Amino acid sequence: MKYMILLYGSQQDYDVLSGKPPAEGYTGPAMTPEDVAAMHQYMGDFNQKLVDSGEFVDGRGLTAPVHARRVKLENGAPVVTDGPYPETQEVLAGFTIVECESYDRATEIAAGFVNPGNPGEYVDIRPVAEGVEELI
């Protein structure tokens, strides 16, 4: 079974990763360039372990919310809102798809994406539907 692990972040998270000081009220950890490099090294090593185990299917990071567009319909017409959204609003930051033997194993893998130094950080896991009959 394939599972998608969804990672979230806010514009403030992206700002901190790019070296900007945390904004007032930011609840995540401040990060030095060395912290950012260590995080990237950890993620690279973690993903390589999934590749080596044969469980890695795909994974991508998404650009900062400042580059996002949200589209909704009002009276049948598209209404577009450019990012960034309110600084505290989390958006999808990236994803990893794994193929493994169970939801429990997918949960174990997902736990490796959560930063233990950032209380409240989370990821979501959802099975990937292979056909419309699995959408229910």
Side-chain angles (χ1 to χ4, degrees), residues 113-130:
F113 287 102
V114 179
N115 178 356
N118 190 1
E121 185 173 289
Y122 63 92
V123 299
D124 288 334
I125 310 165
R126 297 186 47 196
V128 175
E130 299 290 338

Side-chain angles (χ1 to χ4, degrees), residues 57-96:
V57 175
D58 195 8
R60 305 291 170 139
L62 300 176
T63 61
V66 70
H67 303 294
R69 284 187 174 166
R70 182 164 288 161
V71 180
K72 61 183 178 178
L73 294 178
E74 287 184 12
N75 299 318
V79 175
V80 178
T81 304
D82 289 331
Y85 309 114
E87 292 182 353
T88 57
Q89 185 175 358
E90 290 188 332
V91 296
L92 187 63
F95 68 90
T96 296

Side-chain angles (χ1 to χ4, degrees), residues 90-102:
E90 290 188 332
V91 296
L92 187 63
F95 68 90
T96 296
I97 298 175
V98 295
E99 186 166 11
C100 52
E101 76 269 358
S102 68

Side-chain angles (χ1 to χ4, degrees), residues 9-49:
S10 67
Q11 183 62 49
Q12 289 179 340
D13 293 324
Y14 280 85
D15 290 345
V16 168
L17 286 172
S18 69
K20 294 179 183 174
E24 185 177 331
Y26 179 66
T27 59
M31 297 186 80
T32 65
E34 294 79 18
D35 293 332
V36 173
M39 181 197 69
H40 287 294
Q41 182 68 48
Y42 171 82
M43 293 299 288
D45 293 346
F46 188 79
N47 281 325
Q48 188 59 52
K49 288 178 188 173

